[in-house]
Amino acid sequence: MDPSLRTPEVNCSPGPEYGDEKRMFQGIPGIERAANGRLWALWYSGGTTEGDDNFVLLVTSDDDGATWSGPKVVIDPPGAVRAYDACLWCDPLGRLWVFWAQSYHLWDGRSGVWAIASEDADRPEPTWSAPRRLGNGIALNKPTVLTNGEWLLPASVWERPAGDFPEREYRCDLGEEAGANVFVSADEGATWEMRGQALVPNRVFDEHMIVERRDCSLWMLVRTMDGMGESFSEDGGKRWSGGRKAAISHVNSRFFIRRLLSGHLLLVKHSPPEGAARSHLSAYLSEDDGETWSGGLMLDERLGVSYPDGVQAPDGRIYIIYDYQRHADKQILMAVVTEEDIVGGACVAETARLRVLVNQATGENPNPK
């Protein structure tokens, strides 16, 4: 059997080999919040950079992010198979999902979306379902729940050939399946199937996210080499419009967009004063489904901040996680803000916090960037 198709172990008792002092590289985080307020975060690490040795790890906090545990769960496939680009999501039933990608070597031309879920994520040691492979591709970003009850999961198959590794039989070419794809579940996650695909000019890794607009049409934003592209669907994601460059300025990196409890849209993106640097990570709000944006709260202006993900608590607080200097400082950081902070462009809420340290790996990387 193809090694990347083998079901990996979900290690709920990670040993010291996964400790902070052993990790030489880490980044690409995600965050979620259980119903009782327990926070969960994940990212991937392993080796000195992105490659065969990568594994996904989960940590948790029961004091609103003031302190965090060490690794509670590790997904580390054996051999030259890596786990990477993971996503955390609490579904409408309260279950915590972990999605991750699994590929032979850095990129085998196919990868695969895997998932586990827990019904007791309010506990520090939850019980997890058996891992399932949902389909081809990479699901880095959270699903979107439509008004009709369907769940849409963005999953990308990169448009690039498999890496030049020796085992040719494990290289794949999926042809027209390469694109910003959409999986759908109409039975609350029991089954998933591919529904549609968007193709956007200059796409790179896709890392797409989907918003259902007030008229029930879908708006997809896609990472591109020159910032951000977009596509639209009027039939629940089956067919997508021809991709085009979005009006939102951005750099070649992941962004985060999500509808808030208020109905407004939250957008976290880079806003460097010039150039295409991964710096000036900022939060914006839209009251008109993305036609216009207000605010511009600076979360972290430093060079090397990237890959935001977020979740909102019932009281309105917004938790945003991101990484900083994956190979050098190796930090996972969090901001806690409100809509008032974002609109005003400054932290005015008493609960606001910036640059909260979630984790810092201390392993010495021989190739710091």
Side-chain angles (χ1 to χ4, degrees):
M1 184 187 294
D2 186 323
S4 68
L5 298 179
R6 296 174 186 164
T7 303
E9 176 189 0
V10 178
N11 183 354
C12 296
S13 300
E17 66 271 24
Y18 298 106
D20 295 351
E21 68 281 1
K22 296 294 185 180
R23 300 196 305 275
M24 298 177 285
F25 148 87
Q26 65 179 17
I28 304 90
I31 192 168
E32 259 300 344
R33 183 183 184 277
N36 68 341
R38 174 176 292 278
L39 295 176
W40 287 92
L42 57 62
W43 57 90
Y44 76 84
S45 183
T48 60
T49 190
E50 299 177 40
D52 302 359
D53 296 325
N54 295 157
F55 56 80
V56 171
L57 66 91
L58 276 74
V59 300
T60 189
S61 171
D62 60 4
D63 56 10
D64 201 40
T67 62
W68 292 82
S69 72
K72 287 287 188 180
V73 175
V74 167
I75 299 168
D76 186 6
V81 179
R82 73 169 181 141
Y84 65 112
D85 279 4
C87 168
L88 277 174
W89 179 59
C90 274
D91 71 21
L93 304 179
R95 297 175 297 185
L96 178 65
W97 289 72
V98 179
F99 301 94
W100 72 92
Q102 199 161 290
S103 172
Y104 194 67
H105 287 269
L106 179 69
W107 171 241
D108 59 14
R110 176 190 60 200
S111 196
V113 181
W114 289 76
I116 56 175
S118 173
E119 297 184 358
D120 56 357
D122 55 340
R123 298 173 54 244
E125 310 285 349
T127 301
W128 298 96
S129 63
R132 288 190 291 155
R133 191 179 189 276
L134 307 184
N136 298 327
I138 300 162
L140 176 64
N141 292 313
K142 290 175 167 57
T144 297
V145 179
L146 304 185
T147 53
N148 66 3
E150 292 180 330
W151 299 356
L152 296 188
L153 175 67
S156 168
V157 173
W158 297 344
E159 192 171 8
R160 58 182 58 204
D164 188 21
F165 49 82
E167 300 85 354
R168 294 182 178 274
E169 67 270 28
Y170 300 143
R171 301 181 197 174
C172 302
D173 180 4
L174 299 187
E176 294 182 353
E177 195 175 334
N181 301 327
V182 179
F183 291 178
V184 63
S185 177
D187 51 13
E188 299 178 327
T191 60
W192 298 82
E193 63 180 13
M194 183 171 165
R195 168 166 286 182
Q197 178 190 78
L199 296 176
V200 174
N202 297 318
R203 54 184 284 262
V204 53
F205 305 117
D206 296 306
E207 298 175 350
H208 48 306
M209 301 195 74
I210 299 168
V211 170
E212 183 179 34
R213 299 191 294 184
R214 293 189 175 99
D215 63 1
C216 292
S217 65
L218 302 180
W219 180 29
M220 180 192 291
L221 290 175
V222 182
R223 172 184 171 182
T224 62
M225 289 186 289
D226 54 358
M228 203 180 295
E230 64 182 2
S231 181
F232 302 88
S233 175
E234 304 287 342
D235 60 2
K238 297 176 184 176
R239 293 169 295 181
W240 292 87
S241 65
R244 67 186 186 189
K245 184 175 175 58
I248 302 169
S249 64
H250 197 234
V251 305
N252 183 357
S253 188
R254 182 193 191 183
F255 52 86
F256 178 74
I257 188 168
R258 201 73 174 168
R259 192 171 296 281
L260 300 175
L261 298 173
S262 64
H264 302 157
L265 291 180
L266 165 70
L267 175 65
V268 182
K269 72 180 191 73
H270 295 280
S271 297
E274 57 183 30
R278 290 184 175 185
S279 67
H280 297 78
L281 193 65
S282 306
Y284 300 84
L285 287 178
S286 176
E287 299 182 7
D288 53 14
D289 267 5
E291 293 294 327
T292 60
W293 297 91
S294 61
L297 175 64
M298 185 68 64
L299 303 176
D300 199 324
E301 76 284 356
R302 295 174 296 173
L303 182 66
V305 294
S306 66
Y307 274 58
D309 185 51
V311 66
Q312 188 176 30
D315 64 4
R317 287 177 299 155
I318 302 164
Y319 298 77
I320 300 167
I321 197 170
Y322 59 96
D323 60 40
Y324 173 63
Q325 296 289 352
R326 299 173 186 172
H327 300 84
D329 291 74
K330 301 178 284 290
Q331 291 183 343
I332 307 296
L333 299 165
M334 181 183 72
V336 184
V337 299
T338 65
E339 288 197 40
E340 184 183 11
D341 299 324
I342 296 172
V343 170
C347 291
V348 295
E350 293 183 359
T351 57
R353 292 175 282 165
L354 299 179
R355 295 193 189 180
V356 177
L357 183 64
V358 175
N359 183 268
Q360 182 168 20
T362 57
E364 185 175 349
N365 194 324
N367 301 304
K369 296 181 180 181

